[in-house]
Amino acid sequence: YKRQYQRRVHGGMSKTEDSVSNDKEVERWKIKKLIRNLEAARGNGTSMISLMLPPKDQIARMVKLLNDEHGTAANIKSHVNRLSVQTAITSVLQRLKLYNRLPTNGLVIYCGTVVTEDNKEKKVTIDFEPFKPVPRTMYQCDNKFHTEPLSVMLESDDRFGFIVMDGNGTLFGGLQGSTREVLHKFTVELPKKHGRGGQSALRFARLRLEKRHNYLRKVAELATQLFITNDRPNVTGLVLAGSAEFKNDLQASDLFDQRLQPIVMKMVDVAYGGENGFNQAVELAADVLSGVRFIQEKKLINRYFNEISLDTNKYVYGIDDTIRAMEMGAVQTLIVFENLETSRVTIHLADGNDKVLLLPEGAARDPKLFIDAETGNQLEHDDINLVEWLAENYKKFGCSLELVTNKSHEGNQFVKGFGGIGGLLRYQVDFAQMAIDNKEHEDHPQPEKEETSKTVEWTDDDFM
């Protein structure tokens, strides 16, 4: 994870909303993996520094704070701990010098000496710009890394709309992650079913229905204004809540915008109106809100299974064929199990070339793989988890990356039946025929043509 997050990310070309969403899911997966690694790390003493700077902070202010901390650390009695803390602070100061100004989303630095599994000390320094703005300033010097603000970044970017309506008024709310926002609210006075007398029953009923109709019209118009932008919904889903039949009447009404109808995820009954009803509606709709990513994952894998059932040859599965198709540029959507236990091993050969092997993680490896057959010398090699490598390099092959889980029935089937890696292709590829052609080429290699040299004599006549 050190190698993965020591790169700083700069702005690039404009992207479509779908590709941006996919990129954020990949970045979210990287943060999740980084958090697991950081939380597992432990050090001796209090020499592990966790530093986070939000976009509006100043590097100069933090440099001054760290210099003060370096001076204060001189009072630590333990020589070993004092030296470790001062070394870590110095490393952070050196890393801050690489930045003239804070990146757009702020800066995160983890630095310290961790104890490895074989009880050896290893210095770790990680600095990166996260894919979302850093929420707050944090400086901690402890015997562990603090990842709480990073966990906040894992919250979904999906935004949901809420309409809470009853006989007293309506509240329009928005929910994104753990942030709730009241977008608009208004009150209304509707006549009851029974009047005080002096009016005919038919006239009273007509006035009552007319006011209810006007109320629904106003709610529908406000819903369009708040939840429609550039002729499309600006929320992932919509929840209708209320204590009476108003929410049902709204959804069934022709006044309700037809662009919002398909994204109504749930209707819930609440005991209150206003903000109390909003809070209650969020709790009652928690199951559908948390399942949005789950549903998207199921749709993607079902689309993949549909290509297989139709035998379109526009699909691929298995590690070898998928990597080959990706290198061909044929893969449009790469689907990978997020916990795929496969390593990508790059062996650096003596002639300067590299040999890439895909091997199961944790399995015993043949030592001969890493020995030069001619000289008997040990060959250097790099070992990285395949999913990490794909997350860093998938854009080079012109495809999008979708990381899936095995929590759904479809996801579990994809992992167990198809090896946890596959893809949807841009065009048809016959891998069976490719395998036959490769085998025939190996069995009957083409003889090498001998180069013949001819001496050509030129005369003056040739230039006339």
Side-chain angles (χ1 to χ4, degrees), residues 300 316 318 322-323 325-326 331-337 386 389-391 393-394 397 399-404 414 421-425:
L300 173 68
V316 61
T322 302
I323 297 298
M326 188 178 70
V331 176
Q332 184 172 20
T333 304
L334 182 63
I335 308 171
V336 183
F337 174 45
L386 179 60
W389 185 84
L390 290 172
N393 296 279
Y394 72 95
F397 302 97
C399 62
S400 62
L401 176 61
E402 294 281 356
L403 297 170
V404 299
F414 175 73
I421 184 170
L424 296 167
L425 305 183

Side-chain angles (χ1 to χ4, degrees), residues 164-167 190 193 208 212 215-216 240-253 267-270:
V164 184
M165 59 186 307
D166 60 9
L190 296 176
K193 287 186 178 181
R208 178 175 172 273
R212 286 173 64 94
Y215 177 41
L216 287 177
L240 305 182
S243 56
E245 293 297 317
F246 284 108
K247 58 184 181 298
N248 300 322
D249 295 340
L250 177 65
Q251 188 187 29
S253 172
M267 292 193 293
V268 296
D269 292 316
V270 293

Side-chain angles (χ1 to χ4, degrees), residues 9 113 166 183 210 231 238 267 284 356-357 394 405 426:
V9 182
T113 303
D166 60 9
L183 304 175
E210 183 180 340
D231 293 328
L238 201 59
M267 292 193 293
L284 294 174
V356 177
L357 300 175
Y394 72 95
T405 67
R426 290 187 171 89

Side-chain angles (χ1 to χ4, degrees), residues 322-371:
T322 302
I323 297 298
R324 187 186 311 159
M326 188 178 70
E327 291 173 347
M328 290 167 53
V331 176
Q332 184 172 20
T333 304
L334 182 63
I335 308 171
V336 183
F337 174 45
E338 65 178 12
N339 294 324
L340 188 67
E341 295 182 346
T342 300
S343 292
R344 185 181 189 273
V345 182
T346 305
I347 303 173
H348 306 293
L349 302 177
D351 60 3
N353 295 321
D354 290 338
K355 181 181 180 181
V356 177
L357 300 175
L358 300 174
L359 304 173
E361 283 187 352
R365 296 176 181 176
D366 187 355
K368 295 180 181 178
L369 292 173
F370 311 110
I371 296 178

Side-chain angles (χ1 to χ4, degrees), residues 10-16 20:
H10 300 283
M13 298 173 62
S14 60
K15 305 174 182 178
T16 63
V20 170

Side-chain angles (χ1 to χ4, degrees), residues 96-124:
L96 284 174
K97 288 180 181 178
L98 300 176
Y99 295 87
N100 294 324
R101 58 185 179 82
L102 282 174
T104 305
N105 291 331
L107 181 63
V108 177
I109 299 178
Y110 287 100
C111 180
T113 303
V114 301
V115 180
T116 61
E117 293 180 356
D118 51 359
N119 212 27
K120 294 181 180 179
E121 290 189 346
K122 179 182 178 182
K123 186 179 177 182
V124 174

Side-chain angles (χ1 to χ4, degrees), residues 140-156:
Q140 293 279 352
C141 194
D142 204 345
N143 66 341
K144 64 178 183 178
F145 290 126
H146 289 263
T147 60
E148 296 82 4
L150 284 183
S151 300
V152 175
M153 297 182 189
L154 296 179
E155 293 181 349
S156 174

Side-chain angles (χ1 to χ4, degrees), residues 199-444:
Q199 301 183 63
S200 70
L202 291 176
R203 181 171 179 272
F204 183 81
R206 187 174 67 253
L207 291 173
R208 178 175 172 273
L209 290 174
E210 183 180 340
K211 290 189 177 181
R212 286 173 64 94
H213 179 78
N214 292 337
Y215 177 41
L216 287 177
R217 180 188 295 276
K218 184 175 181 179
V219 172
E221 289 175 351
L222 285 171
T224 302
Q225 293 176 19
L226 295 170
F227 299 127
I228 296 289
T229 304
N230 296 327
D231 293 328
R232 58 181 297 180
N234 56 26
V235 290
T236 305
L238 201 59
V239 176
L240 305 182
S243 56
E245 293 297 317
F246 284 108
K247 58 184 181 298
N248 300 322
D249 295 340
L250 177 65
Q251 188 187 29
S253 172
D254 293 336
L255 301 171
F256 193 48
D257 198 303
Q258 296 302 309
R259 293 167 292 183
L260 296 177
Q261 289 277 9
I263 65 169
V264 174
M265 303 172 62
K266 192 173 185 179
M267 292 193 293
V268 296
D269 292 316
V270 293
Y272 314 99
E275 295 189 28
N276 290 333
F278 180 25
N279 294 332
Q280 190 179 6
V282 171
E283 295 176 4
L284 294 174
D287 55 337
V288 295
L289 301 183
S290 61
V292 170
R293 180 63 188 166
F294 184 75
I295 294 169
Q296 292 173 345
E297 178 182 303
K298 290 180 67 172
K299 286 182 178 179
L300 173 68
I301 299 178
N302 278 327
R303 179 183 159 206
Y304 175 76
F305 288 162
N306 189 48
E307 293 287 337
I308 295 175
S309 64
L310 295 175
D311 197 20
T312 61
N313 277 344
K314 292 180 68 176
Y315 61 88
V316 61
Y317 57 85
I319 291 179
D320 294 334
D321 284 348
T322 302
I323 297 298
R324 187 186 311 159
M326 188 178 70
E327 291 173 347
M328 290 167 53
V331 176
Q332 184 172 20
T333 304
L334 182 63
I335 308 171
V336 183
F337 174 45
E338 65 178 12
N339 294 324
L340 188 67
E341 295 182 346
T342 300
S343 292
R344 185 181 189 273
V345 182
T346 305
I347 303 173
H348 306 293
L349 302 177
D351 60 3
N353 295 321
D354 290 338
K355 181 181 180 181
V356 177
L357 300 175
L358 300 174
L359 304 173
E361 283 187 352
R365 296 176 181 176
D366 187 355
K368 295 180 181 178
L369 292 173
F370 311 110
I371 296 178
D372 191 313
E374 295 181 0
T375 63
N377 294 331
Q378 188 79 19
L379 296 171
E380 293 184 359
H381 66 278
D382 297 326
D383 195 332
I384 184 173
N385 178 268
L386 179 60
V387 184
E388 287 185 26
W389 185 84
L390 290 172
E392 286 293 327
N393 296 279
Y394 72 95
K395 292 180 184 178
K396 297 177 183 177
F397 302 97
C399 62
S400 62
L401 176 61
E402 294 281 356
L403 297 170
V404 299
T405 67
N406 60 349
K407 295 178 181 178
S408 65
H409 172 72
E410 291 82 0
N412 189 51
Q413 185 179 352
F414 175 73
V415 172
K416 291 186 175 179
F418 298 88
I421 184 170
L424 296 167
L425 305 183
R426 290 187 171 89
Y427 48 83
Q428 292 185 347
V429 178
D430 192 343
F431 291 98
Q433 186 61 43
M434 287 176 63
I436 294 172
D437 294 342
N438 290 338
K439 190 174 188 307
E440 288 179 353
H441 180 73
E442 292 173 0
D443 294 342
H444 306 286

